[in-house]
Amino acid sequence: MIDSIRANHFMDWELIAVDDGSDVATLELMQHYASIDQRIRFLQREKEPKGAQTCRNIGLDEACGEFIVFFDSDDYITPTCLETRVHALQQRTDVDFMVFPSGVYEEGMLQTTNATRRFGRPVYKDDLQAFARRTLPFIVWNNIYRTASLRQHHIRWDVKLKSLQDADYNVQTLLSGLKYTYADAQPDYAYRLNITQSISTKLVTDEHFRNHIYAQEKFFILYRQQFGHQYDSALYQGVLFLYDVVCREEHNKRFATMLTEMLRRQSRGMAFRFGMTMKMIQILALVLPHNRARQISLFGYLLKKRFQCSNQ
């Protein structure tokens, strides 16, 4: 990522890298980059808690530029990325941020053929609805923001979240009224796939279960504060998404119970529906493999999800 930033045609940038407890080799590498390029600022996290969100808030506070982008350390940007984004947002003085398309990083280059990993394209009629369903119209790294807009609306990374941070940040920008548009441009960001760190294999501890509950309940509260019950159906789909992904391989009674209790605080009707779905999965799993029991019990949701994807 650092090499690809330094290789950009646009030269007037600063890179703020915040150390969150790196090993010695990484520290030495970052210190080397900072010594050979004065545009790179390498900072130590001195705030708690530990985590990427705290580091990104530090970076936002320290940023001096008119615009800001948040990039992941193991990804790649094209040589024209910064130039294209800056010039595009300079021309659109009516918006607070712009969304650019992305692809994936495979075989040493940016690939755009992986349809399930293409973000930043205007394919949804209602982006807020898509985020509520836990579908991602765009990731934070798709965007270039006006720094002043983020600060004026107090858009911060939620340090309580262990995962699902990008969706939370994007929903904050939309609910805060930030104006945005999609750029008519070629993909300029390559996301590096890391299958071994997927949500289904990584986030199966009680701590991460609580994170999911917190994240989903926060969505219920934020959406309802502004729109009442308009997005309830989409938010319920978001709950089914979380269960489906985390419990794809096997049913986790603890997580299902936590989701049911969260739904009961928000809607007894939703809690009842979800509880009945969980009971159906458990009953069918007595005679069928869990994966088949899950698919049958969630058939309506899975069918709707596939229909929504096919209409993109």
Side-chain angles (χ1 to χ4, degrees):
M1 174 53 73
I2 295 176
D3 288 339
S4 66
I5 291 173
R6 297 185 70 223
N8 257 248
H9 300 163
F10 184 83
M11 306 293 289
D12 187 17
W13 50 261
E14 66 168 350
L15 187 158
I16 301 175
V18 183
D19 173 46
D20 193 38
S22 303
D23 57 31
V24 174
T26 303
L27 292 174
E28 291 177 349
L29 180 64
M30 289 308 306
Q31 289 164 355
H32 167 71
Y33 272 115
S35 69
I36 64 174
D37 195 328
Q38 294 183 348
R39 296 171 298 179
I40 297 176
R41 298 171 59 195
F42 183 47
L43 308 177
Q44 302 289 144
R45 175 183 56 80
E46 297 180 350
K47 299 179 179 178
E48 296 293 338
K50 173 182 171 64
Q53 305 88 282
T54 300
C55 293
R56 287 181 166 185
N57 285 335
I58 292 172
L60 178 57
D61 292 338
E62 292 286 334
C64 298
E66 181 181 357
F67 308 120
I68 193 166
V69 291
F70 297 99
F71 290 157
D72 285 352
S73 61
D74 58 346
D75 293 340
Y76 165 84
I77 61 172
T78 64
T80 59
C81 174
L82 298 179
E83 179 180 42
T84 301
R85 291 191 182 194
V86 168
H87 290 171
L89 192 51
Q90 285 176 332
Q91 297 299 314
R92 291 299 305 267
T93 57
D94 58 320
V95 299
D96 298 291
F97 71 95
M98 291 186 71
V99 183
F100 286 76
S102 63
V104 298
Y105 191 79
E106 293 179 315
E107 300 178 354
M109 64 181 66
L110 190 159
Q111 306 278 1
T112 60
T113 56
N114 190 328
T116 62
R117 291 290 181 174
R118 288 185 297 184
F119 302 103
R121 301 174 185 275
V123 296
Y124 299 99
K125 294 180 181 179
D126 184 341
D127 285 342
L128 271 172
Q129 182 185 64
F131 279 117
R133 295 194 305 248
R134 291 292 171 186
T135 307
L136 303 178
F138 49 85
I139 313 296
V140 170
W141 36 250
N142 285 114
N143 308 334
I144 178 171
Y145 305 89
R146 297 188 191 279
T147 308
S149 297
L150 295 179
R151 290 172 175 167
Q152 178 183 349
H153 290 84
H154 307 290
I155 309 298
R156 307 289 289 177
W157 291 85
D158 189 338
V159 299
K160 295 180 181 179
L161 286 172
K162 302 294 183 183
S163 61
L164 309 174
Q165 304 100 324
D166 276 71
D168 178 81
Y169 196 85
N170 284 321
V171 165
Q172 284 189 63
T173 63
L174 301 188
L175 293 180
S176 296
L178 265 62
K179 297 179 180 179
Y180 71 104
T181 188
Y182 286 86
D184 182 12
Q186 294 298 313
D188 63 7
Y189 190 97
Y191 167 63
R192 188 186 300 272
L193 296 176
N194 190 349
I195 303 302
T196 60
Q197 294 299 312
S198 68
I199 189 173
S200 59
T201 60
K202 182 181 177 185
L203 307 183
V204 293
T205 67
D206 240 30
E207 180 183 12
H208 286 105
F209 289 165
R210 289 192 296 271
N211 170 83
H212 287 348
I213 300 303
Y214 169 77
Q216 191 61 35
E217 192 151 29
K218 181 179 179 181
F219 266 25
F220 269 101
I221 294 170
L222 290 177
Y223 275 79
R224 285 177 167 180
Q225 283 177 344
Q226 197 153 331
F227 299 103
H229 296 279
Q230 178 180 338
Y231 287 98
D232 276 9
S233 178
L235 290 166
Y236 182 68
Q237 287 186 57
V239 175
L240 295 178
F241 170 86
L242 289 178
Y243 173 82
D244 183 48
V245 173
V246 173
C247 299
R248 185 159 295 172
E249 301 302 325
E250 61 179 348
H251 177 73
N252 188 294
K253 185 176 180 180
R254 168 69 173 157
F255 186 51
T257 300
M258 293 172 73
L259 286 171
T260 303
E261 291 173 351
M262 182 275 293
L263 282 172
R264 190 173 292 116
R265 293 192 292 269
Q266 300 301 321
S267 168
R268 290 190 175 274
M270 288 185 191
F272 177 78
R273 287 168 56 194
F274 186 77
M276 293 301 294
T277 301
M278 295 301 101
K279 288 181 180 179
M280 184 175 179
I281 290 175
Q282 291 177 288
I283 292 172
L284 290 176
L286 296 175
V287 294
L288 296 172
H290 166 74
N291 190 45
R292 181 62 63 186
R294 175 186 60 82
Q295 290 174 334
I296 293 173
S297 302
L298 296 177
F299 178 76
Y301 160 73
L302 295 174
L303 184 65
K304 182 181 293 186
K305 181 180 177 182
R306 172 163 293 193
F307 178 75
Q308 290 164 347
C309 292
S310 65
N311 282 344
Q312 292 182 25

